[in-house]
Amino acid sequence: MQESHTQYHQLKIPVPQEFENVFTYFYYAENRSSDPVTKTLLPSYQTIMLFCFGDNALMTTHEKNTVEVHQCIILGPVRQTFEYTLPAGTSILVANFKDDAFYRFFGKAVVSVHGIHPNEILQDNCFTELWNQISAFPSPEEKTAHILEFCRPYLQDQDEIIRLLSHFNDDALNPVKIIAEQTRRSERTIQQKQKEQLGYSAKEMIRYTRFLKAIKLIEKELEHQKKIEWFNIIDECDYYDQSQLIHDFKHFINLSPSQYLKFQSDICRSGSD
C-alpha cells in the first residue's frame, strides 16, 4: 500500500512469506518539503526498530518526553501514540516486530517507552554498521531487503506456548486458561512467558485488539465516505456502551473518537494490518 503526496511520502513494504512470522511489514516515510513535518503514530503493541536518514528525527511520547533519533532506535511494545517530527529532507524506515520476534532476535522483550539504541542491548557496534550499509541503498525496498538478510542468521526458534498464544483467535475464550489446559502448565506459567517474550499481558492485548478493530471499521467507513455509525461500531466491537469506546480512545491515543476523525489525516498506523 502506498500513499504519495508532493511534500510527504509514506509507504508500507510487505515482507516475503518466510518473514511473515517475524515482521508485519516495514513502514517508510519521507519529508520532501522545506519545513519539518509532524505526524502521530498509532499504538501497535509491537516493538519497533526505527532507522533515521538525514537530520535527526524527534519522537515525543504520550507523556510529552522528547527523544532525538540518531541513526537507529528501538521502542516498545508501543502501547500509546507518539508523535514523530521529520526535518526537511529526512526519512525513516520502521521495522515492526511481530509477536515474540523481538525476543527471538534480542533475547528479551520489554525495551523502553523512551527508546534505546540496539547497540546498547547487544553491547556491540553491529547496528551502526548496518545503518551505514543500508544508507547506501537508494530505495526503501532495497534497505528492507538488506535488513531481512541481516536478521536471518540470528533468529531463534519460536517457543510452542508463544506460538499458541500468537495464533489464538477466539475472543470469547480466555487464551491463558485454554493454553494452560492444552499444555498442562499453570496459568501463571503461561502469563509469565507471555510477559517475558511478548512484553504484554493477554488482558492488555484483548483490549488493544478491540480498539484496533474499531479503528479499522472507522477507516473502512471513511473509505466509502459514509457517515460513521458509532452505535454499530460499539456493537461490532463488543463495547458495553459509548463511554467505554471513548475511554479506550482516550487511553490509547489521547483523543475522543470524534477528535480522531478530525485529526485522522495526521495519524499513521505503521504496525498491524
Side-chain angles (χ1 to χ4, degrees):
M1 183 179 75
Q2 180 174 343
E3 296 179 18
S4 182
H5 306 281
T6 304
Q7 304 297 323
Y8 185 80
H9 176 73
Q10 56 184 336
L11 173 71
K12 289 180 179 178
I13 305 167
V15 299
Q17 186 174 359
E18 66 175 302
F19 288 99
E20 285 181 348
N21 69 338
V22 180
F23 301 101
T24 49
Y25 47 75
F26 282 66
Y27 173 78
Y28 176 79
E30 179 184 9
N31 178 14
R32 297 173 176 173
S33 73
S34 57
D35 299 306
V37 171
T38 297
K39 295 283 184 177
T40 300
L41 202 67
L42 283 178
S44 63
Y45 264 78
Q46 296 169 351
T47 299
I48 65 173
M49 181 161 56
L50 185 151
F51 295 91
C52 180
F53 309 97
D55 293 336
N56 293 351
L58 298 177
M59 288 172 33
T60 303
T61 67
H62 194 69
E63 295 79 17
K64 302 303 179 185
N65 296 312
T66 299
V67 178
E68 192 168 358
V69 183
H70 174 65
Q71 294 186 345
C72 185
I73 196 170
I74 290 175
L75 179 75
V78 181
R79 290 175 165 86
Q80 294 178 313
T81 56
F82 68 82
E83 291 183 345
Y84 65 90
T85 300
L86 300 186
T90 296
S91 62
I92 56 172
L93 181 64
V94 181
N96 298 281
F97 288 94
K98 187 174 183 179
D99 300 327
D100 66 330
F102 184 84
Y103 179 90
R104 291 165 58 198
F105 190 90
F106 287 95
K108 57 178 69 177
V110 180
V111 184
S112 168
V113 294
H114 305 300
I116 188 172
H117 196 288
N119 286 349
E120 296 181 40
I121 300 175
L122 296 178
Q123 297 182 335
D124 192 293
N125 205 36
C126 62
F127 274 87
T128 297
E129 179 59 28
L130 175 62
W131 182 87
N132 287 327
Q133 291 171 3
I134 62 178
S135 294
F137 292 103
S139 72
E141 291 85 357
E142 290 173 294
K143 295 181 194 295
T144 298
H146 190 80
I147 293 170
L148 294 177
E149 287 302 311
F150 174 83
C151 291
R152 190 192 300 274
Y154 300 102
L155 285 168
Q156 305 170 34
D157 292 334
Q158 188 173 47
D159 182 272
E160 176 63 15
I161 289 174
I162 298 299
R163 187 190 68 79
L164 291 171
L165 283 167
S166 299
H167 291 83
F168 196 92
N169 55 12
D170 191 333
D171 295 338
L173 298 175
N174 181 336
V176 171
K177 182 177 181 180
I178 298 299
I179 292 170
E181 292 173 353
Q182 289 177 353
T183 59
R184 298 183 180 180
R185 307 284 184 89
S186 70
E187 291 185 27
R188 180 170 176 79
T189 297
I190 306 301
Q191 290 169 340
Q192 287 178 331
K193 191 174 285 287
Q194 183 178 41
K195 194 72 174 178
E196 175 187 87
Q197 297 195 24
L198 299 181
Y200 48 77
S201 68
K203 186 177 180 180
E204 285 181 276
M205 180 48 63
I206 290 170
R207 183 181 185 184
Y208 169 71
T209 301
R210 182 179 61 188
F211 163 75
L212 184 61
K213 183 177 180 180
I215 288 290
K216 290 178 178 178
L217 288 173
I218 291 170
E219 291 177 350
K220 186 176 180 180
E221 292 295 305
L222 291 175
E223 283 179 4
H224 295 88
Q225 297 183 336
K226 292 181 180 179
K227 179 183 177 182
I228 304 299
E229 299 293 343
W230 293 111
F231 287 102
N232 288 344
I233 291 176
I234 290 167
D235 183 59
E236 287 193 44
C237 298
D238 296 321
Y239 281 104
Y240 294 125
D241 52 27
Q242 189 173 9
S243 63
Q244 191 184 26
L245 172 71
I246 294 171
H247 188 264
D248 269 10
F249 269 72
K250 291 280 190 177
H251 173 77
F252 287 112
I253 61 176
N254 203 32
L255 295 172
S256 68
S258 58
Q259 287 173 324
Y260 170 75
L261 292 181
K262 183 178 180 180
F263 297 108
Q264 200 223 6
S265 62
D266 292 324
I267 297 176
C268 308
R269 180 153 56 86
S270 80
S272 303
D273 287 319

